[in-house]
Amino acid sequence: MHAMSSDDTFVCVTPDTLHLSQYVAYVEDDSAGALATFSGVTRNVFQGKRVIQLEYESYDDMAEKVLRGLCQQARNKWSLTKVAVAHKTGLCPVGETSVVIAVSSTHRQDALQAVAWLIDELKAKVPIWKKEVFEGGEVWKENAESRLLAQQSQ
């Protein structure tokens, strides 16, 4: 497992199973009145096709560097106590978590807005690629957020 952490931020890209409770425990703090989370889970159907599993590949060192930068940007936008972001690589069968974001803050709006922003930015900017394996085939998927970012930069 690759991981980068400081006293108040933890990011990792790992082939290990992600457990939400581990990241919630990391961001818990007595000074925080709010804790918000997001878990992305492999669903069993997409566009009418039965999904078997997802497979993720990444450039781990760069992915963690970009994640750390996104966490810093979130800190600059909102008053956050602690932040944890983890993304799974390798096989991710139906029902398994592929990404976890946990944020604590003094007030709920900061935590809720930061989590929503972090997942959108992660999908648009972090060098992690997804292959969808479904009944009858497989395809590498581009995130809609990446396409939007590319269109905005033109």
Side-chain angles (χ1 to χ4, degrees):
M1 170 170 73
H2 295 273
M4 298 175 73
S5 66
S6 64
D7 289 344
D8 55 11
T9 302
F10 177 87
V11 299
C12 78
V13 175
T14 178
D16 299 333
T17 300
L18 301 180
H19 299 283
L20 178 62
S21 60
Q22 175 183 352
Y23 304 100
V24 167
Y26 180 83
V27 301
E28 286 177 331
D29 190 283
D30 289 343
S31 68
L35 195 152
T37 65
F38 172 81
S39 295
V41 179
T42 302
R43 61 181 176 258
N44 65 355
V45 87
F46 182 73
Q47 296 181 341
K49 298 176 185 168
R50 190 174 78 76
V51 174
I52 297 166
Q53 66 189 20
L54 301 179
E55 295 179 26
Y56 290 95
E57 290 187 8
S58 75
Y59 176 12
D60 293 350
D61 292 338
M62 182 59 74
E64 288 179 354
K65 182 178 178 182
V66 174
L67 285 172
R68 181 156 295 288
L70 292 176
C71 290
Q72 186 55 54
Q73 288 178 50
R75 289 183 170 291
N76 294 341
K77 291 174 164 289
W78 297 280
S79 179
L80 306 179
T81 307
K82 293 184 178 181
V83 180
V85 181
H87 203 296
K88 181 172 176 37
T89 55
L91 300 180
C92 194
V94 170
E96 189 166 318
T97 301
S98 58
V99 61
V100 170
I101 299 172
V103 174
S104 60
S105 63
T106 304
H107 303 288
R108 72 179 177 272
Q109 286 304 320
D110 286 337
L112 291 168
Q113 291 171 8
V115 166
W117 183 86
L118 280 165
I119 189 59
D120 289 344
E121 293 296 305
L122 180 156
K123 292 182 75 149
K125 297 179 179 174
V126 179
I128 297 174
W129 303 277
K130 175 173 71 173
K131 180 167 60 170
E132 190 168 298
V133 180
F134 52 89
E135 216 168 52
E138 60 187 40
V139 63
W140 284 99
K141 304 288 279 194
E142 178 185 36
N143 287 315
E145 294 84 358
S146 294
R147 284 191 302 278
L148 181 60
L149 182 66
Q151 290 169 352
Q152 290 173 345
S153 66
Q154 293 177 346

